Amino acid sequence: MALFSSTIDQLHNGLDGAELRQNTIANNIANADTPNYKARKASFEHMLGDARQQFDSQKTDGRHVDFGEGHREAYTSVDRSRSYNHNGNSVDMDKEMAEMANNQIYQSALVDRMDGQFGNLKTALGGQ
């Protein structure tokens, strides 16, 4: 029997992913002036859906996305196809700052929801 509900586990996974994304964005910003540095992007949303439905799918074209396959852990990827600066750097500061703000809002929402879940547990245990 699990001590906490699956909701708390999913919130925990979301917070871990938000931390990875925050660290990745901070690393991109720190390397904004590094020649030939390629911006990285953190991906973790695929981990959040243990309750996601499995699809019976059949690829009809090699360019189609595989269902239920691929990364099972959080990861970072590099897009080498573009450069925003004359020195080969691909960090777009406006984009990075916007993504950081979005991630902070996402993380705050998860923390608020986690607080509510622990409040429910406290109430169920007879706390005030």
Side-chain angles (χ1 to χ4, degrees):
M1 182 173 104
L3 180 60
F4 299 116
S5 71
S6 64
T7 302
I8 290 176
D9 290 336
Q10 293 299 322
L11 290 168
H12 181 263
N13 289 341
L15 286 169
D16 285 346
E19 177 186 14
L20 173 66
R21 179 168 288 150
Q22 191 75 8
N23 290 338
T24 303
I25 294 168
N27 192 36
N28 287 343
I29 292 170
N31 286 289
D33 293 326
T34 303
N36 297 316
Y37 177 82
K38 301 302 180 192
R40 286 157 176 75
K41 179 179 179 182
S43 299
F44 65 90
E45 286 83 0
H46 61 280
M47 298 178 16
L48 301 179
D50 284 341
R52 67 182 174 262
Q53 297 176 352
Q54 294 296 321
F55 296 101
D56 289 329
S57 64
Q58 186 174 14
K59 284 176 55 169
T60 57
D61 189 309
R63 296 171 292 181
H64 290 169
V65 175
D66 289 325
F67 288 93
E69 308 239 347
H71 296 280
R72 295 283 182 214
E73 300 293 325
Y75 65 94
T76 58
S77 59
V78 178
D79 182 6
R80 299 184 187 282
S81 65
R82 63 187 96 176
S83 291
Y84 293 107
N85 299 315
H86 64 284
N87 63 0
N89 188 303
S90 68
V91 175
D92 180 352
M93 285 299 287
D94 292 333
K95 179 182 172 200
E96 297 299 328
M97 296 304 286
E99 286 185 11
M100 183 176 278
N102 284 336
N103 193 57
Q104 289 170 340
I105 292 167
Y106 175 75
Q107 187 173 18
S108 293
L110 290 174
V111 168
D112 286 345
R113 188 65 190 123
M114 183 77 83
D115 184 54
Q117 289 292 312
F118 284 127
N120 291 344
L121 281 173
K122 183 179 176 182
T123 300
L125 294 173
Q128 295 295 333

